């Protein structure tokens, strides 16, 4: 028998390759690359979310009723203030005063209202029920409170500010707009609400200035005849800064009421896929239309925002003013973006470009680029230096304005077979470019997901043309400019209320300076997270109900949780001293999904090595604010190694794996024979190493090693296996998901596979 020979796998560049014959793939190709990706010639486990905050409204001096003759009051703040059914009160934010004021009742963050100089009360953060005793008899009561609407994030849009290199991110849910301040999220320009659905996303653009030379921010939410008009603001906040409706006249009887996209181009503002008519309710959709205004100001009527006016700017029946062109197709315009000095337009199944002609009467002309490739989502378009990349029904498409072609040859069937088209699934695809890491991301709903919202992230490394898939639950992507640099008292670089100890930090210490754009994502419950910042996820889901059970598993209610059976979570932030806090806070569970809104909790059982032990709790009244941190696993599965060219089986004896060291880190090795990818052959075999430690392998003076204090070590793993084909998988076991191992970074720099025929 021949000796083992080394197969050196390094300089990784191929990445994820799906729907190809695995036995003939390159050695650095991975048919499964989940929550891990190829980055600068190494394989890295994905980084985790860091919480920026939850979309939140701040209400002050709200009349809630009167105390009775004995000074008592009971009521539901959600009903009294007409808040959303999904609302949750922020613990510690409620202050109720009676007329005078004589008494003040302050929320202590634990569901108790402390009265001064006397009196008391309670508050349930989930139901909104408040009780007060000891108020002035018959006195009028007013409340200050913060609350989370808990609506899905439907837009993360950048507003240009007048200061150099200064931008504001405006966040939208289905009803409100928000911005982030030193104290957390607050409503952006209160008083204006929106009427979008959970699949109508907000498009914005920055164009023109007010009379005071303040930049104008435009927003359109393409939600149909019963939706919202186009709006713009100078962002001052009230009066002359409130949102102004925009519906310019386009001919003698019709107005531009709404559009899918707005973009400035060649000194004109352009609207794509328009709704036009006498009013929004009766407007007709022109799905292929591109409409533009005259050169100069796009404003046609006087509003509360002082801007220059041209009453005929959009009129196509006034020579030299506005105009339009209809693309000669029956397909909808889906998305648009710049490539050099042209506008690329993706329709449903075709690609077009809009060229500038320079003629005043017909300033633009439309040209077809491709008859087969288009885009299915307005927000799938990602701008690159020389192309616009979008996702359509046939794949990931790239257009440089001269030709359009697919770039997903390594994953040819992912778009067609794995993006869920039900529940407006195509509309939910969102993309963004990460300049720092030279990656592009697209979120999408998997075909077998429990809910309607995206639960996967497609990752494209355009530096080496490699792909990967992350498990993330997000609804919208965008950029955010931190308002302060990261410090130990302020690890998110945003709020000074969050502190962290050196030994408790779950992120690598790399300063996040102020004013540098970071990628953020919002989810279906109104949480906004920094993407890819640390090792373990911060909280990203809320708990609205806990149903204790002393016989079967405790049930958690978290609306549209988007989790799958088998997911592992950690529960945090149930107020100390309240029901379920002592038994659930800080604990790790595997879940079994009951419905889109509920799941059961199971603890890890070392005897079965599964999350199979029911979590038992006595029934009690849950007061709210418990949250969920999702603990991500990863899977890296290799090609099927073989010696079939020599007509031989393959035997692998051992492997050397170069990894960064960590004192308490470890991952699991599984080996699969032939085409059985469900039953690893090394489990229970005493001659196998199934656990790969990441500790330094220093053995002391006189022994060959990487040295004490080495930042990386070669980890030798014994795995004597023989078959026609052998597949190597790296992952975390259930025990490691339950332990500290999950809280360590994972990176594979190199593999040496010792093999022989």
């Amino acid at each position: 028998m021949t000796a083992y020979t080394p197969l050196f796998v390094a300089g990784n560049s191929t990445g994820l390759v799906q729907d190809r014959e695995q036995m003939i793939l390159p050695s650095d190709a991975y048919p499964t690359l989940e929550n891990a990706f190829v980055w600068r010639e190494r394989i890295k486990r994905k980084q985790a979310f860091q919480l920026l905050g939850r979309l939140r409204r701040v209400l002050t001096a709200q009349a809630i009723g009167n105390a009775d003759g004995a000074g008592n009051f009971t009521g539901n703040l959600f009903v009294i203030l007409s808040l959303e059914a999904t609302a949750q009160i922020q613990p510690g934010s409620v202050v109720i005063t009676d007329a005078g004021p004589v008494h003040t009742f302050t929320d202590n963050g634990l569901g108790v209202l402390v009265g001064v100089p006397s009196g008391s009360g309670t508050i349930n953060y989930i139901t909104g029920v408040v009780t007060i005793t000891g108020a002035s008899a018959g006195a009028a009561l007013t409340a200050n409170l913060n609350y989370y609407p808990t609506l899905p994030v439907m837009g993360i849009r950048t507003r240009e500010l007048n200061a150099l290199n200064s931008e504001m991110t405006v966040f939208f849910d289905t009803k409100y707009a928000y911005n982030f301040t030193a104290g957390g999220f607050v409503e952006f320009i209160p008083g204006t609400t929106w009427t979008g659905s959970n699949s109508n996303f907000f498009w914005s653009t920055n164009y023109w200035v007010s009379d005071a030379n303040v930049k104008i921010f435009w927003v359109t939410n393409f939600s149909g005849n019963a939706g919202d008009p186009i709006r713009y603001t100078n962002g001052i906040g009230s009066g002359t800064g409130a949102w102004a409706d925009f519906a310019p006249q386009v001919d003698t009887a019709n107005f531009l009421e709404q559009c899918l996209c707005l973009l400035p181009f060649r000194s004109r503002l352009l609207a794509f896929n328009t709704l036009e008519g006498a009013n929004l309710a009766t407007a007709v959709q022109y799905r292929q239309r591109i409409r533009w205004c005259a050169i100069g100001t796009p404003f046609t009527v006087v509003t509360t925002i002082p801007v220059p006016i041209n009453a005929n700017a959009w009129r196509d029946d006034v020579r030299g003013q506005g105009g339009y062109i209809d693309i000669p197709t029956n397909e909808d315009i889906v998305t648009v973006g710049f490539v050099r000095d042209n506008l690329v337009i993706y329709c449903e199944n075709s690609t077009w470009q809009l060229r500038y002609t320079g003629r005043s009467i017909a300033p633009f002309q439309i040209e077809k680029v491709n008859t087969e490739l288009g885009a299915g989502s307005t927000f799938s378009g990602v701008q690159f230096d020389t192309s616009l990349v979008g996702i359509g029904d046939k794949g990931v498409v790239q257009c440089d304005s001269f030709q359009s072609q697919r770039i997903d040859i390594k994953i040819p069937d992912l778009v067609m077979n794995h993006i869920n088209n039900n529940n407006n699934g195509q509309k939910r695809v969102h993309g963004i470019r990460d300049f720092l890491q030279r990656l592009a991301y697209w979120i999408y709903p998997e075909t077998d997901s429990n809910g309607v919202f995206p639960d996967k992230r497609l990752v494209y490394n355009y530096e080496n043309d490699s792909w990967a898939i992350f498990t993330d639950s997000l609804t919208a992507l965008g950029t955010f400019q931190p308002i302060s640099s990261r410090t130990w008292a302020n690890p998110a670089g945003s709020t000074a209320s969050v502190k962290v100890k050196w030994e408790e930090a779950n992120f690598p210490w790399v300063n996040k300076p102020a004013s540098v754009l970071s990628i953020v994502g919002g989810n279906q419950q109104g949480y906004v997270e920094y993407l890819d910042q640390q090792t373990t996820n911060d909280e990203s889901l809320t708990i609205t109900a806990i149903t204790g059970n002393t016989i079967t598993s405790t049930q958690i209610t978290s609306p549209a949780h988007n989790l799958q059976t088998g997911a592992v979570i950690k529960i945090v932030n149930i107020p100390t001293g309240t029901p379920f806090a002592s038994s659930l806070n800080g604990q790790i569970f595997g879940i079994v999904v009951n419905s889109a809104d509920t799941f059961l909790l199971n603890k890890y059982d070392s005897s079965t090595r599964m999350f199979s032990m029911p979590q038992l709790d006595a029934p009690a009244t849950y007061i709210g604010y418990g949250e969920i941190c999702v603990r991500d696993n990863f899977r890296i599965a290799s090609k099927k190694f073989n010696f079939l060219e020599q007509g031989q089986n393959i035997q692998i004896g051992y492997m050397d794996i170069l990894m960064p060291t960590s004192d308490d880190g470890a991952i699991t090795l599984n080996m699969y024979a032939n085409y059985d990818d469900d039953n690893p052959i090394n489990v229970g075999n005493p001659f196998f190493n199934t656990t790969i430690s990441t500790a330094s392998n220093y053995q002391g003076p006189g022994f060959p090693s990487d040295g004490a204090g080495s930042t990386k070590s070669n980890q030798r793993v014994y795995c004597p296996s023989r078959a026609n084909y052998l597949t190597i998988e790296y992952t975390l076991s259930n025990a490691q998901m339950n332990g500290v191992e999950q809280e360590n970074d994972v990176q594979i720099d190199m593999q040496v596979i010792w093999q022989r025929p």
Side-chain angles (χ1 to χ4, degrees):
M1 184 177 289
T2 60
Y4 290 115
T5 59
L7 173 62
F8 185 63
V9 182
N12 289 275
S13 62
T14 303
L16 178 69
V17 179
Q18 291 184 328
D19 301 304
R20 305 285 184 182
E21 181 47 62
Q22 297 182 24
M23 59 172 285
I24 59 174
L25 293 178
S27 296
D28 66 341
Y30 299 91
T32 300
L33 196 57
E34 180 180 331
N35 288 337
F37 66 111
V38 171
W39 187 74
R40 297 182 183 174
E41 291 77 48
R42 68 205 76 171
I43 306 172
K44 292 184 65 175
R45 175 187 168 193
K46 70 163 278 207
Q47 294 293 97
F49 294 156
Q50 185 179 33
L51 179 66
L52 175 60
R54 294 177 68 180
L55 300 185
R56 181 193 65 171
R57 299 184 72 210
V58 177
L59 305 182
T60 59
Q62 302 291 307
I64 63 171
N66 292 62
D68 64 18
N72 300 324
F73 175 84
T74 299
N76 189 311
L77 296 181
F78 297 167
V79 175
I80 296 168
L81 302 178
S82 299
L83 304 185
E84 295 74 26
T86 54
Q88 296 178 25
I89 295 172
Q90 180 181 357
S93 72
V94 180
V95 178
I96 297 175
T97 58
D98 61 19
V102 177
H103 297 86
T104 300
F105 302 87
T106 303
D107 173 17
N108 69 354
L110 301 175
V112 176
L113 298 176
V114 179
V116 175
S118 62
S120 63
T122 63
I123 177 71
N124 188 301
Y125 305 118
I126 292 295
T127 65
V129 173
V130 61
T131 64
I132 289 176
T133 59
S136 300
L141 303 175
T142 59
N144 297 342
L145 70 147
N146 306 338
Y147 84 95
Y148 308 112
T150 320
L151 300 171
V153 179
M154 301 305 295
I156 302 175
R157 310 300 299 173
T158 300
R159 174 177 168 248
E160 292 285 348
L161 302 179
N162 277 31
L164 183 65
N165 296 326
S166 182
E167 298 174 347
M168 170 193 286
T169 301
V170 181
F171 300 81
F172 295 89
D173 58 25
T174 57
K175 194 172 181 180
Y176 305 104
Y178 309 82
N179 67 299
F180 194 87
T181 68
F185 279 105
V186 296
E187 193 174 353
F188 178 59
I189 312 181
T192 299
T193 59
W194 307 77
T195 55
S197 73
N198 66 20
S199 62
N200 292 318
F201 296 88
F202 288 78
W203 179 284
S204 68
T205 195
N206 296 276
Y207 184 62
W208 213 254
V209 293
S210 69
D211 289 346
N213 200 34
V214 178
K215 295 178 181 179
I216 299 296
F217 178 63
W218 303 74
V219 172
T220 178
N221 178 26
F222 198 59
S223 47
N225 298 94
D228 308 305
I230 301 167
R231 289 172 175 155
Y232 65 90
T233 182
N234 60 7
I236 293 174
S238 62
T240 59
W243 292 103
D245 293 350
F246 183 74
Q249 189 171 3
V250 297
D251 57 34
T252 56
N254 295 297
F255 298 81
L256 173 62
E257 299 290 350
Q258 203 180 74
C259 65
L260 179 67
C261 308
L262 281 170
L263 273 183
F265 183 38
R266 288 286 185 165
S267 302
R268 303 171 188 263
L269 188 60
L270 277 64
F272 302 84
N273 194 338
T274 63
L275 278 172
E276 302 175 14
N279 54 63
L280 180 56
T282 60
V284 176
Q285 184 175 357
Y286 295 90
R287 303 172 186 275
Q288 302 82 29
R289 180 155 295 179
I290 306 164
R291 183 173 285 280
W292 57 83
C293 70
I295 291 176
T297 178
F299 304 102
T300 60
V301 297
V302 176
T303 66
T304 57
I305 301 174
V307 290
I309 301 299
N310 175 3
N312 297 321
W314 290 83
R315 293 194 62 155
D316 57 50
D317 57 351
V318 177
R319 188 177 180 87
Q321 296 296 309
Y324 71 90
I325 188 172
D326 289 330
I327 300 178
T329 177
N330 286 333
E331 304 167 26
D332 285 27
I333 293 174
V334 174
T335 193
V336 297
F338 286 103
V339 176
R340 293 180 289 271
D341 199 32
N342 296 324
L343 264 177
V344 169
I345 302 171
Y346 282 123
C347 293
E348 297 168 89
N349 298 295
S350 59
T351 310
W352 305 76
Q353 68 166 326
L354 189 70
R355 285 184 180 273
Y356 181 66
T357 66
R359 300 190 297 268
S360 60
I361 302 301
F364 303 106
Q365 67 181 30
I366 193 78
E367 298 174 358
K368 182 178 285 188
V369 177
N370 189 286
T371 60
E372 295 181 335
L373 301 178
S377 167
T378 301
F379 295 90
S380 70
V382 176
Q383 198 82 54
F384 285 82
D385 302 337
T386 58
S387 66
L388 180 69
V389 178
I391 293 184
D393 63 334
K394 300 178 181 67
V396 185
V397 179
Q398 172 181 273
C399 180
D400 63 2
S401 81
F402 299 109
Q403 63 175 348
S404 187
Q405 59 186 0
R406 291 183 62 181
I407 61 171
D408 56 350
I409 191 64
K410 293 180 181 177
I411 49 171
D413 300 327
L414 184 141
V415 169
M416 288 182 280
N417 294 341
H418 292 275
I419 295 183
N420 191 341
N421 288 321
N422 297 323
N423 300 305
N424 295 306
Q426 276 283 352
K427 290 177 65 176
R428 301 180 191 278
V429 178
H430 270 237
I432 199 168
R433 184 179 176 190
D434 187 337
F435 286 87
L436 182 63
Q437 296 200 81
R438 300 181 64 80
L439 303 173
Y441 310 126
W442 289 271
I443 55 175
Y444 65 93
E446 176 68 54
T447 52
D448 60 356
S449 61
N450 292 315
V452 301
F453 299 104
D455 57 355
K456 299 290 184 182
R457 177 164 35 133
L458 179 62
V459 179
Y460 177 49
N461 184 331
Y462 56 86
E463 192 171 54
N464 60 19
D465 190 36
S466 66
W467 301 86
I469 296 173
F470 292 175
T471 302
D472 290 328
S473 185
L474 299 167
T475 57
L477 301 174
T479 58
F480 175 73
Q481 193 174 56
I483 57 180
S484 61
S485 296
R486 172 186 276 173
T487 65
W488 285 108
N490 176 12
S494 300
T495 60
S497 61
V498 180
K499 293 179 171 57
V500 66
K501 296 179 181 179
W502 181 284
E503 66 271 17
E504 294 176 353
N506 63 348
F507 50 83
W509 189 255
V510 179
N511 185 42
K512 185 205 298 287
S515 301
V516 175
L517 290 177
S518 297
I519 306 296
V520 294
N523 75 4
Q524 69 277 11
Q525 293 185 359
Y527 284 79
V528 179
E529 312 273 354
Y530 287 109
L531 269 57
D532 309 326
Q533 292 292 316
Q534 54 194 27
T535 307
T536 56
N537 288 321
D538 284 345
E539 51 269 34
S540 61
L541 294 171
T542 185
I543 299 172
T544 60
I546 301 177
T547 306
N549 197 308
T550 57
I551 299 175
T552 60
S553 299
T554 292
Q555 178 175 280
I556 299 294
T557 300
S558 181
H561 54 72
N562 231 24
L563 298 174
Q564 303 286 327
T565 293
V568 178
I569 66 169
K570 181 179 181 179
I571 292 178
V572 297
N573 293 336
I574 300 174
T576 302
T578 68
F580 304 106
S582 60
S583 61
L584 299 184
N585 269 347
Q587 301 302 305
I588 298 165
F589 304 98
I591 71 165
V592 176
V593 172
N594 278 344
S595 70
D597 299 328
T598 62
F599 55 82
L600 302 177
L601 299 179
N602 290 326
K603 296 182 291 186
Y604 177 72
D605 186 341
S606 58
S607 64
T608 63
R609 300 180 182 178
M610 303 287 288
F611 286 94
S612 56
M613 185 185 303
Q615 168 66 28
L616 304 180
D617 293 281
T621 300
Y622 169 65
I623 71 165
Y625 204 62
E627 296 181 294
I628 296 168
C629 305
V630 179
R631 289 171 72 91
D632 289 321
N633 201 343
F634 71 93
R635 283 189 66 207
I636 304 168
S638 73
K639 65 168 285 186
K640 295 190 179 299
F641 292 101
N642 63 86
F643 277 104
L644 287 192
E645 286 187 358
Q646 302 178 28
Q648 300 282 320
N649 284 347
I650 181 174
Q651 181 169 342
I652 294 178
Y654 54 93
M655 296 191 298
D656 293 314
I657 306 166
L658 179 62
M659 304 173 69
T661 57
S662 58
D663 291 338
D664 50 10
I667 63 174
T668 291
L669 168 70
N670 291 323
M671 188 76 72
Y672 297 94
N674 302 324
Y675 277 78
D676 181 357
D677 296 332
D678 297 321
N679 301 295
I681 61 175
N682 57 326
V683 174
N685 189 323
F687 299 102
F688 275 86
N689 296 131
T690 57
T691 299
I692 306 173
S693 171
T694 58
S696 171
N697 60 19
Y698 179 66
Q699 303 174 51
F703 290 88
S705 72
D706 293 323
S710 175
T711 59
K712 295 184 180 182
S713 286
N714 282 314
Q715 307 293 342
R716 174 155 288 187
V717 185
Y718 292 93
C719 49
S721 309
R722 183 171 65 182
N724 295 144
Y725 314 95
L726 289 174
T727 300
I728 301 166
E729 179 189 61
Y730 304 104
T731 187
L732 294 173
S733 66
N734 287 327
Q736 291 164 345
M737 288 293 292
N738 189 61
V740 70
E741 295 89 345
Q742 196 273 343
E743 300 168 8
N744 283 268
D745 283 325
V746 175
Q747 178 176 302
I748 298 175
D749 292 340
M750 174 274 297
Q751 305 166 73
V752 179
I753 302 171
W754 294 89
Q755 60 178 5
R756 64 187 175 196

